Amino acid sequence: MTTDFDRGWQRNKTGLGVWEHRAKVAIAGYGYSELDRRWDGVSLDRTIGAFQVDAMEKAIADAGLTAADIDGLMVCPEAAGDSWAQADRGMNRPYFDPPYDTEDGLSYTTAEWLIAEFARRGTPLSNLKYIDGKAPYIGPEMGKAAQAVGDGLAKNLIMTYNMGNVEGRYHLEEGIYSPSGRQWSAPWGWMTSAMMQHAFVFLQYCTKYGGSRDNLAPFVINQRRNGLMTPWSFYTQHEPYQITVEDYLDARPVAWPVTILDSDRPVQHAAAFLFTTADRAKDMKQKPIYVLSHAQMTRPSRSTMGTIEDHEAATEDLVKILYDGAGVTAKDLDVFNPYDGFAVFTQTYLEAFQWHDVKRGEAFDFYKGDIRVEGPHPFNSSGGNLGNGRTRTAMYTDSIEQLRGIAGPRQIRLKAETAACGQVTPTSNGHIYLSTVAD
Amino acid sequence: MPKTIPQPDEVSKPFWDFVDQQKLTLQYCTACSRYQYPVRAQCYDCGKADNLTWKEVQGKGHILETMVVHDTRVVRRKIDVPFNVALVSLDEAPYINFLSNLPGTTAHEAPQGAPVELIFEPLEGAPGRFIHEWRVTK
């Protein structure tokens, strides 16, 4: 995941006040593809590119628009895993006939590829005026899309994000040398920041407030439960049974305290969102979901690893930017879908957002309560990555469905007029605040 | 434990040269009076490079927390699992922390908060090169 992108548009410091485009931008459509564990290397209608076009077509149709109505395109062109060819490992898997004669469309997608594919299908994006083919990952990408429409760069902007997963175990460090940033970590067996950095912070959390990994069991089990209420989730399709406390406690350790059940499962999936102006959204097919605010946070660690104090401060600043931008407080937030790529950091968000009045050190007690979607504290109604597979977009699609009242069995029984969701980790993320009500 | 071999770049080369001399020498910003590790091109606090110097530290620390790796993407380390990965804070600058495998301490038995001391391990496959490590003080 690159963090090397333009940040001039970001809302990334406190004191910015109410967002200048508050409720003047809306999400008028959304769509998502089917979900596979991996691309099988054969089915050209199930590549990540094909899934992404499918999601975009659905989002455009959901808004009641056609490809010709789209004047803005925003794409994150990064690969989630390794390349298809894996030439660097000597595999050299062959490519296919166009449009699959390069990596583009197989392990990542670019704006150019998507534009060409729409044209090839006879529904060209013929009126594009604004193209951002180097957007960041989904957290900040959502905010950037909202900002772009608010700034008048596009009227009907389709924004899309995918998580691809080709065959093979990816991101292996196979050589004997560790270059660049990994010279400071890989020699000691360090793998990924998201897992190990946050495992350290989680251990610090347990030292500071009490508790252990065992206290995450109710949360992880509930994530799986919510995912099993999502028809297309990985678990509904392939492992349609609930996990138990015993399953969780006995799970295979990966980097203790993180186990396999604390970690999201990579999948092949894409989603897309249609951003437009609030005025236009009122005349479109769906009830508008207004964007009240967005916020981003990027705070590099001072030393090898950030500490719990760093992560708590970063998330508290993030939430202040987001809430101030929307002109709201914690009690105004109905639907809350924070990131859970690893179970060990979600409590950092929960406590920073103070959703349902949960304050620092109180997450484990909160998890012990009734956090089911039917209950009084329907936490992370999407099921997140842990419940669905590593889509990184289920939090957004669920938030929209909750606000539209179409979440099916996942529909929370409480009022669902506002939602907050975001990606990814506490010191590197973007969040968005949504509402069915403009005023 | 055959660690992977750190590959110095232009900015980090002085640090690793010191390590090969079995000295732990950190960047130090004379304007901010702050140590810095890992090595960066600019000071984390003031953002300037002009005042960055090198200053040897004593090599005493404490274990903040320890995780245990059971499955790793670092292929060279696969034969070592399970192994400790501790986060060690430097006593004379506690805001500086290091990773450590805590050589001599069995996985899952690292004493939280214990004092540790600096050692230097030879790097397998890189004659004359070393890497900084930390060992629990008896």
Side-chain angles (χ1 to χ4, degrees), chain A residues 169 173 176-179 183 187-188 191-192 196 199-200 207 252 254-256 300-305, chain B residues 3-5 7 9 12 16 37 40 44-45 65 67-68 70-73 75 77 85 97 101 112 133:
Chain A
R169 186 175 185 186
E173 181 140 332
I176 67 168
Y177 293 99
S178 293
Q183 66 188 294
W188 293 272
M191 295 190 293
T192 71
M196 299 180 80
F200 275 132
T207 299
R252 176 172 70 83
V254 179
W256 184 263
S301 299
R302 166 179 290 281
S303 192
T304 312
M305 293 291 114
Chain B
K3 288 180 167 66
T4 58
I5 301 165
Q7 197 166 45
D9 51 42
S12 69
W16 291 113
Y37 175 89
R40 291 184 171 97
Y44 179 88
D45 291 287
E65 302 288 350
M67 66 173 60
V68 179
H70 288 254
D71 186 358
T72 179
R73 291 171 172 172
V75 175
R77 301 301 308 270
V85 180
N97 54 49
N101 294 137
Q112 187 186 20
E133 258 296 8

